[in-house]
Amino acid sequence: MAVIKVDIAGAPYEVRVGAGLLAELVPQCRGLLRKRAVPIVTDVNVHAAWGSVIEASLRDNGHEPHWRILPAGEQTKSWAELSATIDWLLELEVERGDHVIALGGGVIGDLTGLCAALLKRGCKFIQVPTTLLAQVDSSVGGKTAINTAAGKNLVGAFHQPSLVLADLSALETLPMRELLAGYAEVVKYGLIDDADFFAWCEANAGAMLAGDAALREYAVAHSVASKARIVAEDERETTGKRALLNLGHTFGHALEAETGFSNRLLHGEAVALGMVLAARFSARSGLMPKVSAERVASHIAAVGLRAEIATLGLECDGAALVKHMLHDKKMDAGTLPFLLMKAIGETYLDKTVSLDAVAAFLDDELARPAN
Ligand code: GLY
Protein backbone atom coordinates (compact mmCIF):
# COMPACT_ATOMS: atom_id res chain seq x y z
CA MET A 1 0.00 0.00 0.00
CA ALA A 2 1.19 3.53 -0.79
CA VAL A 3 0.42 6.30 1.71
CA ILE A 4 0.48 9.92 0.54
CA LYS A 5 0.19 12.79 2.99
CA VAL A 6 -1.85 15.79 1.89
CA ASP A 7 -0.23 18.58 3.88
CA ILE A 8 -3.04 21.12 4.02
CA ALA A 9 -2.38 23.63 6.79
CA GLY A 10 -4.67 22.83 9.72
CA ALA A 11 -6.28 19.84 8.00
CA PRO A 12 -3.64 17.30 6.92
CA TYR A 13 -4.78 13.83 5.91
CA GLU A 14 -3.63 10.65 4.26
CA VAL A 15 -4.53 9.11 0.93
CA ARG A 16 -3.98 5.36 1.05
CA VAL A 17 -3.68 3.54 -2.26
CA GLY A 18 -3.76 -0.24 -2.42
CA ALA A 19 -5.79 -3.32 -3.22
CA GLY A 20 -8.34 -4.62 -0.72
CA LEU A 21 -8.96 -1.41 1.26
CA LEU A 22 -12.76 -1.66 0.95
CA ALA A 23 -12.74 -5.04 2.69
CA GLU A 24 -10.62 -3.48 5.45
CA LEU A 25 -12.75 -0.36 5.76
CA VAL A 26 -13.09 -0.37 9.54
CA PRO A 27 -9.44 -1.09 10.42
CA GLN A 28 -8.40 1.54 7.87
CA CYS A 29 -10.72 4.07 9.53
CA ARG A 30 -9.57 3.26 13.05
CA GLY A 31 -10.17 6.17 15.39
CA LEU A 32 -12.52 7.92 12.97
CA LEU A 33 -15.77 5.94 13.33
CA ARG A 34 -16.67 6.86 16.89
CA LYS A 35 -20.30 5.66 16.93
CA ARG A 36 -22.09 2.40 16.15
CA ALA A 37 -24.09 4.03 13.34
CA VAL A 38 -22.09 4.84 10.18
CA PRO A 39 -23.74 6.88 7.39
CA ILE A 40 -22.65 5.92 3.87
CA VAL A 41 -23.65 7.75 0.71
CA THR A 42 -23.24 5.82 -2.53
CA ASP A 43 -24.95 5.14 -5.86
CA VAL A 44 -26.89 2.11 -7.05
CA ASN A 45 -24.07 0.72 -9.19
CA VAL A 46 -21.37 1.00 -6.55
CA HIS A 47 -23.74 -0.41 -3.94
CA ALA A 48 -24.45 -3.40 -6.18
CA ALA A 49 -20.72 -4.03 -6.69
CA TRP A 50 -19.31 -3.24 -3.23
CA GLY A 51 -22.21 -2.84 -0.78
CA SER A 52 -21.86 -6.32 0.73
CA VAL A 53 -18.09 -5.94 1.24
CA ILE A 54 -18.55 -2.66 3.12
CA GLU A 55 -21.55 -4.00 5.02
CA ALA A 56 -19.51 -7.02 6.20
CA SER A 57 -16.55 -4.89 7.33
CA LEU A 58 -18.84 -2.60 9.33
CA ARG A 59 -21.02 -5.30 10.89
CA ASP A 60 -18.06 -7.59 11.71
CA ASN A 61 -16.61 -4.69 13.66
CA GLY A 62 -19.77 -3.83 15.57
CA HIS A 63 -21.03 -0.97 13.41
CA GLU A 64 -24.45 -0.48 11.88
CA PRO A 65 -24.33 0.86 8.31
CA HIS A 66 -26.96 3.41 7.26
CA TRP A 67 -27.07 3.57 3.48
CA ARG A 68 -28.18 6.41 1.26
CA ILE A 69 -28.20 4.88 -2.23
CA LEU A 70 -28.60 7.52 -4.93
CA PRO A 71 -29.14 7.26 -8.69
CA ALA A 72 -25.90 6.97 -10.65
CA GLY A 73 -25.00 9.94 -12.85
CA GLU A 74 -24.34 13.63 -12.94
CA GLN A 75 -27.99 14.56 -12.30
CA THR A 76 -27.47 13.42 -8.69
CA LYS A 77 -25.30 16.49 -8.03
CA SER A 78 -28.43 18.60 -7.57
CA TRP A 79 -30.02 20.94 -5.05
CA ALA A 80 -32.73 18.29 -4.50
CA GLU A 81 -30.29 15.50 -3.61
CA LEU A 82 -28.18 17.89 -1.53
CA SER A 83 -31.14 18.96 0.52
CA ALA A 84 -32.59 15.45 0.89
CA THR A 85 -29.20 14.00 1.87
CA ILE A 86 -28.66 16.70 4.47
CA ASP A 87 -32.14 16.02 5.90
CA TRP A 88 -31.22 12.33 6.05
CA LEU A 89 -27.99 13.10 7.94
CA LEU A 90 -29.94 15.32 10.34
CA GLU A 91 -32.43 12.50 10.96
CA LEU A 92 -29.50 10.23 11.76
CA GLU A 93 -28.38 12.88 14.27
CA VAL A 94 -24.92 13.11 12.73
CA GLU A 95 -22.78 15.46 14.80
CA ARG A 96 -19.88 17.70 13.79
CA GLY A 97 -17.32 15.19 15.04
CA ASP A 98 -18.89 12.27 13.14
CA HIS A 99 -17.73 10.98 9.78
CA VAL A 100 -19.91 10.40 6.72
CA ILE A 101 -18.51 7.97 4.16
CA ALA A 102 -18.61 8.93 0.46
CA LEU A 103 -18.38 5.65 -1.48
CA GLY A 104 -18.27 6.11 -5.24
CA GLY A 105 -17.01 8.27 -8.07
CA GLY A 106 -16.76 12.02 -8.39
CA VAL A 107 -20.50 12.62 -8.26
CA ILE A 108 -20.89 10.92 -4.88
CA GLY A 109 -17.69 12.46 -3.51
CA ASP A 110 -18.65 15.98 -4.58
CA LEU A 111 -22.22 15.75 -3.27
CA THR A 112 -21.33 14.07 0.02
CA GLY A 113 -18.44 16.46 0.58
CA LEU A 114 -20.74 19.43 0.13
CA CYS A 115 -23.29 17.92 2.54
CA ALA A 116 -20.46 17.48 5.06
CA ALA A 117 -19.31 21.07 4.51
CA LEU A 118 -22.79 22.38 5.28
CA LEU A 119 -24.10 20.05 7.97
CA LYS A 120 -24.01 21.91 11.28
CA ARG A 121 -21.46 24.26 9.63
CA GLY A 122 -19.22 21.31 8.87
CA CYS A 123 -18.99 17.66 9.86
CA LYS A 124 -16.27 15.21 8.85
CA PHE A 125 -16.16 12.85 5.91
CA ILE A 126 -14.08 10.06 4.42
CA GLN A 127 -13.62 9.72 0.66
CA VAL A 128 -13.69 6.15 -0.65
CA PRO A 129 -13.29 6.73 -4.40
CA THR A 130 -14.16 3.79 -6.66
CA THR A 131 -13.33 5.21 -10.11
CA LEU A 132 -9.88 6.02 -11.49
CA LEU A 133 -10.92 9.63 -12.04
CA ALA A 134 -12.05 10.03 -8.44
CA GLN A 135 -8.96 8.24 -7.09
CA VAL A 136 -6.44 10.43 -8.93
CA ASP A 137 -8.32 13.72 -8.87
CA SER A 138 -11.71 14.53 -7.38
CA SER A 139 -11.41 12.75 -4.01
CA VAL A 140 -8.21 14.64 -3.14
CA GLY A 141 -8.00 18.34 -2.40
CA GLY A 142 -11.38 19.15 -0.87
CA LYS A 143 -13.33 20.58 -3.81
CA THR A 144 -17.02 19.76 -3.32
CA ALA A 145 -19.95 20.93 -5.44
CA ILE A 146 -23.33 20.41 -7.04
CA ASN A 147 -24.57 21.50 -10.46
CA THR A 148 -27.32 24.08 -11.02
CA ALA A 149 -29.34 25.20 -14.02
CA ALA A 150 -26.59 27.75 -14.75
CA GLY A 151 -23.84 25.12 -15.03
CA LYS A 152 -21.66 22.43 -13.52
CA ASN A 153 -20.01 22.77 -10.10
CA LEU A 154 -21.19 26.35 -9.68
CA VAL A 155 -22.28 25.84 -6.06
CA GLY A 156 -19.72 24.32 -3.75
CA ALA A 157 -17.19 24.64 -0.96
CA PHE A 158 -13.65 23.70 -0.11
CA HIS A 159 -13.96 21.03 2.57
CA GLN A 160 -11.15 18.55 3.11
CA PRO A 161 -11.84 14.89 3.93
CA SER A 162 -10.22 13.27 6.99
CA LEU A 163 -8.98 10.30 4.97
CA VAL A 164 -9.05 9.00 1.39
CA LEU A 165 -9.06 5.25 0.75
CA ALA A 166 -8.37 4.45 -2.91
CA ASP A 167 -8.93 0.72 -3.35
CA LEU A 168 -7.34 -0.49 -6.57
CA SER A 169 -9.64 -3.56 -6.54
CA ALA A 170 -12.52 -1.20 -7.38
CA LEU A 171 -10.86 -0.47 -10.73
CA GLU A 172 -11.23 -4.13 -11.71
CA THR A 173 -15.00 -3.78 -12.07
CA LEU A 174 -14.82 -0.44 -13.88
CA PRO A 175 -15.81 -0.43 -17.58
CA MET A 176 -12.82 0.27 -19.87
CA ARG A 177 -14.45 3.48 -21.10
CA GLU A 178 -14.51 4.88 -17.54
CA LEU A 179 -10.99 3.67 -16.84
CA LEU A 180 -9.75 5.49 -19.94
CA ALA A 181 -11.65 8.64 -19.02
CA GLY A 182 -9.94 8.59 -15.62
CA TYR A 183 -6.59 7.97 -17.29
CA ALA A 184 -6.81 11.40 -18.93
CA GLU A 185 -6.38 12.93 -15.47
CA VAL A 186 -3.31 10.73 -14.88
CA VAL A 187 -1.62 11.97 -18.06
CA LYS A 188 -2.50 15.52 -17.00
CA TYR A 189 0.00 15.39 -14.12
CA GLY A 190 2.79 14.58 -16.58
CA LEU A 191 1.81 17.45 -18.85
CA ILE A 192 1.52 19.98 -16.02
CA ASP A 193 5.00 19.78 -14.51
CA ASP A 194 6.43 16.28 -14.75
CA ALA A 195 7.86 15.36 -18.17
CA ASP A 196 9.40 12.17 -16.73
CA PHE A 197 5.96 11.00 -15.65
CA PHE A 198 4.57 11.71 -19.12
CA ALA A 199 7.35 9.51 -20.53
CA TRP A 200 6.43 6.86 -17.93
CA CYS A 201 2.82 7.07 -19.15
CA GLU A 202 3.93 6.60 -22.76
CA ALA A 203 5.92 3.52 -21.80
CA ASN A 204 3.50 1.93 -19.35
CA ALA A 205 -0.09 3.02 -20.03
CA GLY A 206 -0.92 -0.03 -22.15
CA ALA A 207 0.06 -2.57 -19.48
CA MET A 208 -1.35 -0.40 -16.69
CA LEU A 209 -4.74 -0.09 -18.35
CA ALA A 210 -4.70 -3.82 -19.16
CA GLY A 211 -4.55 -4.51 -15.42
CA ASP A 212 -0.93 -4.71 -14.23
CA ALA A 213 -1.35 -4.24 -10.47
CA ALA A 214 2.06 -2.72 -9.71
CA LEU A 215 1.75 -0.23 -12.57
CA ARG A 216 -1.75 0.73 -11.45
CA GLU A 217 -0.55 1.38 -7.93
CA TYR A 218 2.32 3.50 -9.25
CA ALA A 219 0.05 5.49 -11.60
CA VAL A 220 -2.51 6.25 -8.91
CA ALA A 221 0.00 6.94 -6.12
CA HIS A 222 2.17 9.17 -8.33
CA SER A 223 -0.89 11.11 -9.52
CA VAL A 224 -2.15 11.56 -5.97
CA ALA A 225 1.31 12.70 -4.83
CA SER A 226 1.32 15.31 -7.62
CA LYS A 227 -2.11 16.53 -6.67
CA ALA A 228 -1.23 16.56 -2.96
CA ARG A 229 1.84 18.69 -3.68
CA ILE A 230 -0.16 21.19 -5.71
CA VAL A 231 -3.13 21.56 -3.36
CA ALA A 232 -0.88 21.82 -0.30
CA GLU A 233 0.73 24.81 -2.02
CA ASP A 234 -2.52 26.49 -3.08
CA GLU A 235 -5.52 24.93 -1.35
CA ARG A 236 -8.07 27.53 -2.46
CA GLU A 237 -6.78 28.17 -5.99
CA THR A 238 -5.67 31.68 -5.16
CA THR A 239 -2.03 31.76 -6.34
CA GLY A 240 -2.52 30.16 -9.75
CA LYS A 241 -0.72 26.92 -8.82
CA ARG A 242 -3.86 24.85 -8.29
CA ALA A 243 -5.35 26.33 -11.45
CA LEU A 244 -2.78 24.23 -13.36
CA LEU A 245 -4.95 21.22 -12.50
CA ASN A 246 -7.50 22.65 -14.92
CA LEU A 247 -5.28 21.87 -17.93
CA GLY A 248 -7.55 20.82 -20.80
CA HIS A 249 -10.67 21.71 -18.83
CA THR A 250 -11.62 24.97 -20.60
CA PHE A 251 -11.53 23.40 -24.06
CA GLY A 252 -13.01 20.22 -22.59
CA HIS A 253 -15.83 22.09 -20.87
CA ALA A 254 -16.87 23.68 -24.17
CA LEU A 255 -17.04 20.23 -25.77
CA GLU A 256 -19.02 18.82 -22.85
CA ALA A 257 -21.46 21.73 -23.08
CA GLU A 258 -21.82 21.31 -26.86
CA THR A 259 -22.57 17.58 -26.38
CA GLY A 260 -25.08 18.37 -23.62
CA PHE A 261 -23.00 16.98 -20.71
CA SER A 262 -24.18 13.59 -21.90
CA ASN A 263 -22.83 10.08 -22.29
CA ARG A 264 -21.69 11.13 -25.74
CA LEU A 265 -18.58 12.59 -24.13
CA LEU A 266 -17.53 11.74 -20.58
CA HIS A 267 -15.73 14.40 -18.53
CA GLY A 268 -12.36 12.62 -18.73
CA GLU A 269 -12.78 12.11 -22.48
CA ALA A 270 -13.40 15.84 -22.83
CA VAL A 271 -10.31 16.58 -20.72
CA ALA A 272 -8.21 14.31 -22.98
CA LEU A 273 -9.40 16.21 -26.05
CA GLY A 274 -8.96 19.49 -24.19
CA MET A 275 -5.33 18.69 -23.41
CA VAL A 276 -4.65 17.90 -27.08
CA LEU A 277 -6.29 21.21 -28.03
CA ALA A 278 -4.31 23.11 -25.38
CA ALA A 279 -1.09 21.53 -26.69
CA ARG A 280 -1.92 22.29 -30.34
CA PHE A 281 -3.03 25.84 -29.54
CA SER A 282 0.24 26.33 -27.64
CA ALA A 283 2.18 25.09 -30.68
CA ARG A 284 0.18 27.29 -33.04
CA SER A 285 0.92 30.27 -30.78
CA GLY A 286 4.64 29.53 -31.07
CA LEU A 287 4.99 28.51 -27.42
CA MET A 288 6.17 24.96 -27.96
CA PRO A 289 7.26 22.83 -30.90
CA LYS A 290 4.51 21.26 -33.00
CA VAL A 291 6.21 17.91 -32.58
CA SER A 292 5.58 18.09 -28.80
CA ALA A 293 1.89 18.85 -29.33
CA GLU A 294 1.63 15.89 -31.70
CA ARG A 295 3.38 13.72 -29.11
CA VAL A 296 0.54 14.56 -26.70
CA ALA A 297 -2.08 13.76 -29.37
CA SER A 298 -0.33 10.50 -30.29
CA HIS A 299 -0.29 9.26 -26.71
CA ILE A 300 -3.95 10.14 -26.14
CA ALA A 301 -4.87 8.29 -29.34
CA ALA A 302 -2.54 5.36 -28.59
CA VAL A 303 -4.36 4.46 -25.36
CA GLY A 304 -7.73 4.52 -27.15
CA LEU A 305 -8.98 7.97 -26.20
CA ARG A 306 -10.38 10.31 -28.83
CA ALA A 307 -7.73 12.88 -29.84
CA GLU A 308 -9.50 14.67 -32.73
CA ILE A 309 -12.57 16.85 -32.19
CA ALA A 310 -13.46 16.39 -35.87
CA THR A 311 -14.51 12.82 -35.00
CA LEU A 312 -17.20 14.09 -32.62
CA GLY A 313 -19.46 15.10 -35.50
CA LEU A 314 -20.28 18.46 -33.93
CA GLU A 315 -22.52 20.76 -35.90
CA CYS A 316 -21.05 24.01 -34.65
CA ASP A 317 -18.17 26.34 -35.36
CA GLY A 318 -15.31 27.56 -33.20
CA ALA A 319 -17.20 30.67 -32.12
CA ALA A 320 -20.01 28.53 -30.69
CA LEU A 321 -17.47 26.54 -28.65
CA VAL A 322 -15.89 29.76 -27.40
CA LYS A 323 -19.34 30.97 -26.34
CA HIS A 324 -19.63 27.96 -24.02
CA MET A 325 -16.28 28.91 -22.51
CA LEU A 326 -17.65 32.29 -21.45
CA HIS A 327 -19.80 30.51 -18.85
CA ASP A 328 -16.67 28.94 -17.37
CA LYS A 329 -16.34 29.63 -13.65
CA LYS A 330 -12.72 30.59 -14.25
CA MET A 331 -13.83 33.80 -16.01
CA ASP A 332 -12.02 36.62 -14.26
CA ALA A 333 -13.14 40.22 -14.75
CA GLY A 334 -14.15 39.59 -18.35
CA THR A 335 -11.06 37.60 -19.35
CA LEU A 336 -10.68 33.85 -19.56
CA PRO A 337 -7.35 32.49 -18.37
CA PHE A 338 -6.06 29.51 -20.41
CA LEU A 339 -3.67 26.77 -19.38
CA LEU A 340 -1.06 26.59 -22.12
CA MET A 341 2.21 24.69 -22.49
CA LYS A 342 5.77 25.81 -23.13
CA ALA A 343 6.82 22.17 -23.21
CA ILE A 344 5.53 18.79 -22.07
CA GLY A 345 5.77 19.21 -18.31
CA GLU A 346 5.71 23.00 -18.43
CA THR A 347 2.13 24.26 -18.21
CA TYR A 348 1.37 27.86 -17.26
CA LEU A 349 -1.64 30.14 -16.87
CA ASP A 350 -1.98 32.66 -19.70
CA LYS A 351 -4.38 35.58 -19.20
CA THR A 352 -3.71 37.18 -22.58
CA VAL A 353 -5.27 34.66 -24.94
CA SER A 354 -7.47 36.17 -27.66
CA LEU A 355 -10.82 34.39 -27.88
CA ASP A 356 -10.95 35.22 -31.61
CA ALA A 357 -7.68 33.33 -32.04
CA VAL A 358 -9.14 30.39 -30.08
CA ALA A 359 -12.27 30.39 -32.28
CA ALA A 360 -10.18 30.42 -35.49
CA PHE A 361 -8.03 27.59 -34.12
CA LEU A 362 -11.13 25.55 -33.26
CA ASP A 363 -12.56 26.10 -36.75
CA ASP A 364 -9.39 24.50 -38.13
CA GLU A 365 -9.53 21.63 -35.63
CA LEU A 366 -13.19 20.96 -36.43
CA ALA A 367 -12.21 20.71 -40.09
CA ARG A 368 -9.04 18.66 -39.53
CA PRO A 369 -9.29 15.36 -41.39
CA ALA A 370 -9.50 12.45 -38.92
CA ASN A 371 -6.69 9.95 -39.47
N1 GLY B 1 -9.86 18.95 -10.21
C1 GLY B 1 -9.16 20.15 -10.07
C2 GLY B 1 -8.86 20.51 -8.67
O1 GLY B 1 -9.09 19.73 -7.77
O2 GLY B 1 -8.40 21.60 -8.41
Side-chain angles (χ1 to χ4, degrees):
M1 179 174 74
V3 180
I4 300 107
K5 186 101 176 276
V6 187
D7 245 324
I8 302 271
Y13 55 94
E14 283 182 1
V15 181
R16 299 187 199 142
V17 179
L21 299 182
L22 289 171
E24 287 175 19
L25 182 78
V26 174
Q28 288 293 337
C29 294
R30 200 160 308 288
L32 300 182
L33 304 178
R34 56 187 201 156
K35 290 185 183 157
R36 190 171 139 70
V38 176
I40 308 159
V41 182
T42 191
D43 72 32
V44 278
N45 296 339
V46 178
H47 184 259
W50 295 102
S52 57
V53 172
I54 298 283
E55 181 98 15
S57 181
L58 287 165
R59 290 202 185 278
D60 290 352
N61 288 281
H63 289 286
E64 188 188 350
H66 289 267
W67 292 95
R68 181 158 179 82
I69 304 166
L70 298 171
E74 198 65 34
Q75 70 284 355
T76 289
K77 276 173 62 171
S78 64
W79 283 113
E81 295 294 5
L82 178 75
S83 140
T85 303
I86 287 179
D87 281 342
W88 174 75
L89 292 170
L90 289 169
E91 267 168 42
L92 289 176
E93 298 183 355
V94 171
E95 298 169 352
R96 281 178 160 182
D98 294 340
H99 281 86
V100 183
I101 294 178
L103 172 71
V107 166
I108 291 298
D110 282 9
L111 175 83
T112 310
L114 186 54
C115 291
L118 296 173
L119 190 89
K120 300 182 178 172
R121 299 204 178 95
C123 75
K124 296 177 182 298
F125 79 118
I126 298 166
Q127 287 270 23
V128 187
T130 55
T131 63
L132 181 58
L133 191 139
Q135 292 187 353
V136 300
D137 183 26
S138 60
S139 68
V140 181
K143 277 190 180 174
T144 73
I146 56 165
N147 306 326
T148 70
K152 269 182 81 176
N153 293 335
L154 293 182
V155 172
F158 288 97
H159 188 57
Q160 301 293 339
S162 304
L163 174 69
V164 182
L165 297 175
D167 186 346
L168 299 169
S169 319
L171 304 183
E172 283 160 26
T173 53
L174 209 60
M176 182 47 84
R177 186 176 177 198
E178 278 211 46
L179 198 66
L180 277 174
Y183 177 70
E185 302 277 2
V186 174
V187 177
K188 186 183 77 177
Y189 295 110
L191 296 178
I192 290 174
D193 63 1
D194 192 347
D196 288 347
F197 186 57
F198 183 76
W200 183 92
C201 287
E202 288 178 311
N204 295 291
M208 188 281 279
L209 290 163
D212 185 291
L215 295 177
R216 281 192 178 180
E217 179 165 326
Y218 182 79
V220 175
H222 192 90
S223 300
V224 168
S226 297
K227 179 139 190 194
R229 175 171 44 80
I230 291 170
V231 299
E233 207 177 299
D234 180 20
E235 183 195 357
R236 305 235 160 185
E237 208 165 306
T238 47
T239 69
K241 183 75 187 176
R242 185 167 182 162
L244 299 179
L245 294 170
N246 296 323
L247 174 63
H249 284 59
T250 301
F251 285 111
H253 178 87
L255 299 171
E256 282 184 278
E258 186 61 30
T259 49
F261 294 100
S262 66
N263 234 17
R264 210 172 137 197
L265 189 65
L266 302 179
H267 174 69
E269 294 169 336
V271 169
L273 278 165
M275 293 189 301
V276 172
L277 293 172
R280 284 190 178 148
F281 185 74
S282 301
R284 178 167 159 135
S285 308
L287 294 163
M288 79 168 175
K290 191 165 178 262
V291 68
S292 301
E294 290 318 307
R295 192 175 152 202
V296 176
S298 297
H299 180 56
I300 293 295
V303 296
L305 280 159
R306 199 189 289 272
E308 303 295 339
I309 56 170
T311 64
L312 282 170
L314 300 179
E315 289 180 2
C316 70
D317 61 7
L321 291 175
V322 165
K323 208 164 163 199
H324 290 303
M325 294 178 186
L326 300 179
H327 300 296
D328 197 295
K329 63 185 172 310
K330 292 180 282 301
M331 281 295 289
D332 184 17
T335 61
L336 183 55
F338 274 80
L339 277 311
L340 299 182
M341 282 177 238
K342 292 182 183 162
I344 286 174
E346 207 180 325
T347 293
Y348 76 103
L349 193 66
D350 193 319
K351 296 188 175 175
T352 65
V353 172
S354 144
L355 292 179
D356 289 342
V358 173
F361 162 70
L362 289 171
D363 281 338
D364 290 349
E365 286 295 312
L366 286 162
R368 180 190 270 268
N371 297 328

